Amino acid sequence: MISHIYLSKVSTHLPIKFQHIINREKTGTINKKSTSNISIIGERRRGSFTRSKKAKYKDIRKMEIPKKPRFLCFHGHASNAARLEEHFTNWPDYVLEKMDLVFIDGPFSVDDEKSEEELFDWFTMENNTYPNFDEGIAYIEDRMIELGPFDGVLGFSQGALVAGVLPGMQQQGICLTNVGKIEYAIIISGGQFGGRTFPAPELAETAFSSPINIPSLHIFGERDKARLNALELVEAYVDPLVIYHNGHHEVPKLDEEGLKIMFEFLGKINAVVDEAVLF
């Protein structure tokens, strides 16, 4: 289910073609056994990747979610909620119906004379600083209070930078103290603040000081301009699931291999829900 809410404010078996990514980032070993459009990289354990458990992806159609997770979704740079929602039309309905995706606009308007739409950002960057980052985080917390509760966050591109850092900031007690815990994250073509490209905002300097131990799904492409940044963020999470496709900076279609990893991610969500019920 997708909620139409728009708010605005004026390797051991790794193919050679992938090896340079891992070698440059020193992220460990990836096992990959697929030549399809979307491939499983699997779960990271103690700095390395192992293939995820084989799953019959067709079972995802029958999978029951005891409590449908609600994700607050963040679009990319100079974009908006409607554009990001459109990206997900290439995901199967039987996947989307297992999540409640709520799309909102960022807080900062972007001037673009070529666009007839209103476009937004989550933060701006000037001389390696973020003059409005704190304001953007406060805006997100306000929207979570207004529209929540939420179970997870989802982000694409610039929005993925934000989605990737929020769980750690909340874990450190820096922000989102008036809303429930972020239990899950879906990060598409993201990156890590404090990594190779994006200096850490002062407010988020300690966001990755401890491993982020929540179910997370990371999606990025072989020809994605964010692929190296995305790998850095993967390393910040405990046992992440990763879909590595051969496309660009995009929300990719989910083929058989992508559906397998999505099946496993939804299974992790079920496990968290079941544990919450028990305790």
Side-chain angles (χ1 to χ4, degrees):
M1 176 181 178
I2 297 178
S3 296
H4 300 265
I5 299 177
Y6 306 122
L7 296 178
S8 60
K9 175 185 176 183
V10 159
S11 133
T12 54
H13 299 294
L14 183 66
I16 294 175
K17 65 178 180 178
F18 297 138
Q19 288 178 355
H20 69 283
I21 298 175
I22 307 306
N23 290 337
R24 288 178 63 178
E25 295 306 299
K26 298 181 180 180
T27 54
T29 302
I30 290 180
N31 294 305
K32 176 177 178 295
K33 190 178 180 181
S34 174
T35 56
S36 59
N37 183 46
I38 301 288
S39 59
I40 297 176
I41 291 182
E43 298 186 38
R44 178 174 67 88
R45 299 185 189 280
R46 296 183 181 179
S48 64
F49 289 94
T50 58
R51 279 195 301 277
S52 61
K53 298 177 182 179
K54 292 183 178 180
K56 296 179 179 179
Y57 79 95
K58 292 182 179 179
D59 290 347
I60 198 172
R61 297 174 184 267
K62 302 177 182 179
M63 175 182 273
E64 294 184 3
I65 303 293
K67 176 181 176 292
K68 186 182 295 187
R70 299 189 78 223
F71 286 85
L72 187 60
C73 305
F74 311 128
H75 57 74
H77 164 64
S79 188
N80 58 42
R83 285 189 178 185
L84 181 59
E85 181 180 351
E86 180 67 22
H87 290 330
F88 286 91
T89 58
N90 59 11
W91 281 21
D93 288 342
Y94 57 83
V95 172
L96 294 175
E97 69 186 11
K98 291 173 172 56
M99 299 177 283
D100 187 4
L101 305 182
V102 179
F103 298 84
I104 62 172
D105 291 322
F108 306 113
S109 297
V110 175
D111 294 328
D112 187 345
E113 296 179 355
K114 298 180 181 179
S115 176
E116 297 180 358
E117 304 174 83
E118 284 191 279
L119 304 178
F120 304 91
D121 273 347
W122 298 101
F123 58 84
T124 56
M125 187 174 179
E126 298 176 6
N127 299 320
N128 289 329
T129 64
Y130 310 91
N132 53 13
F133 182 81
D134 296 19
E135 182 182 351
I137 297 300
Y139 169 86
I140 290 171
E141 183 161 11
D142 287 344
R143 299 290 77 74
M144 295 181 90
I145 293 171
E146 177 184 357
L147 303 171
F150 290 97
D151 306 294
V153 290
L154 178 153
F156 170 70
S157 195
Q158 188 191 72
L161 277 165
V162 175
V165 76
L166 283 176
M169 293 177 68
Q170 187 185 50
Q171 181 175 288
Q172 298 294 326
I174 299 168
C175 70
L176 307 186
T177 56
N178 296 313
V179 297
K181 179 188 174 185
I182 297 174
E183 299 281 0
Y184 329 107
I186 300 176
I187 301 164
I188 307 171
S189 296
Q192 180 178 334
F193 281 118
R196 61 186 297 124
T197 303
F198 301 98
E202 184 175 351
L203 188 67
E205 285 181 345
T206 62
F208 298 107
S209 58
S210 299
I212 301 173
N213 190 11
I214 62 172
S216 64
L217 176 62
H218 305 252
I219 304 173
F220 53 95
E222 177 188 358
R223 292 171 285 176
D224 192 337
K225 63 183 180 181
R227 68 189 185 282
L228 300 181
N229 298 320
L231 279 167
E232 289 183 316
L233 186 59
V234 168
E235 288 293 311
Y237 281 76
V238 176
D239 293 343
L241 293 172
V242 179
I243 294 175
Y244 187 62
H245 58 91
N246 66 3
H248 296 272
H249 198 66
E250 61 186 318
V251 178
K253 292 182 179 179
L254 298 175
D255 69 356
E256 180 174 349
E257 296 299 328
L259 288 169
K260 286 179 182 178
I261 207 70
M262 180 61 73
F263 179 92
E264 188 166 351
F265 179 66
L266 292 173
K268 285 191 171 189
I269 289 178
N270 275 353
V272 172
V273 172
D274 289 343
E275 183 176 353
V277 171
L278 287 174
F279 294 96

